[in-house]
Amino acid sequence: MRISLLVLFPLVGHSQKWEKVKSWQATKQPTAFSVDYQNNIYMGFSDGGLTKYDSEGELLENFSLSNASSVVLIDVQNNLKPFLFYFDNQQITILDRFSTVPKNYFLADFDVQLGMMACPAPDGNFWVVENNPQRLKKISPLRKSTVLEVQLQLGDSINKMQAYQNLLFISHTNGLHVLDQFGGKIYSVDLLGTTGFQLIGNKVLVFSKMKITRLNFTGEVETELYKPELSEGTLKVKESFLFIKDRTINFYNPID
């Protein structure tokens, strides 16, 4: 059933119109979410499970991991091998098409004292932000060693990181930081209340509970969209934005 609802919010001299096109309920409240290049939607949960949906929210696949903690990051740039990070267990899990036994890596085996966030690097290694003192480490799963280490001062509220080509994007509640392939800071953008981001082409969508800010890769703010409703999570899938609050996922299309 298609739901039509127009919502207007002020945006720098004109109003943003939204059309609500769909709403559905996840089986549980997601703790992490992502979308792949085929517009499939992935949601992780507090029991360590991962569910894959198509772009319309139809269930495709399920994965469960016993004795796991909440999924806090999902990276599906390689959607045949989804990457999951579990903070409480200090664990990285890499799936293989949802069908075979996953590979599990524990950060303690890499001499990481407390990993705040982790993501895959394009060269097959892992990026990890370690706390106390805060450092960015690149670790090798093959050699179980650190291949690069730099000091960081980003605070404790990191909520997402993603490597793309020779860049590393890290967001926390005060904004977005972009680093080079050696961990050197290129630029930062202060955006209070940031809850995450999404890379689309050469653009970065930075999300907060109230709005969506689009940046180019040089850090210049191009547009700001005010959401039609508050949400803890946001994803862009095809032309729609998904606003996630508790178990409810609402699909809206912006109207030009």
Side-chain angles (χ1 to χ4, degrees), residues 187-237:
Y187 64 83
S188 298
V189 179
D190 293 332
L191 293 167
L192 189 62
T194 293
T195 58
F197 65 91
Q198 183 176 344
L199 305 181
I200 300 179
N202 61 351
K203 307 296 181 183
V204 189
L205 300 181
V206 182
F207 306 127
S208 71
K209 288 186 177 182
M210 294 183 59
K211 66 181 181 179
I212 302 159
T213 303
R214 188 178 73 190
L215 314 173
N216 59 32
F217 269 21
T218 65
E220 179 184 359
V221 176
E222 294 186 341
T223 59
E224 287 187 338
L225 300 178
Y226 283 84
K227 294 180 179 182
E229 59 184 50
L230 299 180
S231 66
E232 288 95 10
T234 309
L235 284 176
K236 188 175 191 299
V237 179

Side-chain angles (χ1 to χ4, degrees), residues 95-220:
L95 308 187
D96 187 355
R97 304 171 187 261
F98 279 74
S99 59
T100 61
V101 177
K103 293 183 178 179
N104 296 314
Y105 303 90
F106 293 92
L107 296 186
D109 295 335
F110 298 87
D111 196 30
V112 174
Q113 301 303 313
L114 179 63
M116 301 300 296
M117 191 61 70
C119 73
D123 58 7
N125 294 316
F126 304 147
W127 285 112
V128 178
V129 175
E130 181 183 49
N131 219 23
N132 297 322
Q134 193 169 79
R135 292 173 289 193
L136 176 67
K137 288 185 173 181
K138 180 183 275 191
I139 57 178
S140 168
L142 296 177
R143 292 181 287 174
K144 288 193 174 180
S145 63
T146 299
V147 297
L148 178 67
E149 181 178 326
V150 295
Q151 297 295 318
L152 282 182
Q153 292 182 335
L154 300 183
D156 297 333
S157 55
I158 294 172
N159 47 44
K160 184 174 180 179
M161 61 190 297
Q162 181 177 340
Y164 177 74
Q165 296 180 354
N166 61 345
L167 300 174
L168 180 62
F169 297 81
I170 302 176
S171 65
H172 61 77
T173 55
N174 290 325
L176 181 75
H177 298 280
V178 181
L179 313 181
D180 63 25
Q181 59 189 325
F182 304 109
K185 186 181 289 188
I186 300 175
Y187 64 83
S188 298
V189 179
D190 293 332
L191 293 167
L192 189 62
T194 293
T195 58
F197 65 91
Q198 183 176 344
L199 305 181
I200 300 179
N202 61 351
K203 307 296 181 183
V204 189
L205 300 181
V206 182
F207 306 127
S208 71
K209 288 186 177 182
M210 294 183 59
K211 66 181 181 179
I212 302 159
T213 303
R214 188 178 73 190
L215 314 173
N216 59 32
F217 269 21
T218 65
E220 179 184 359

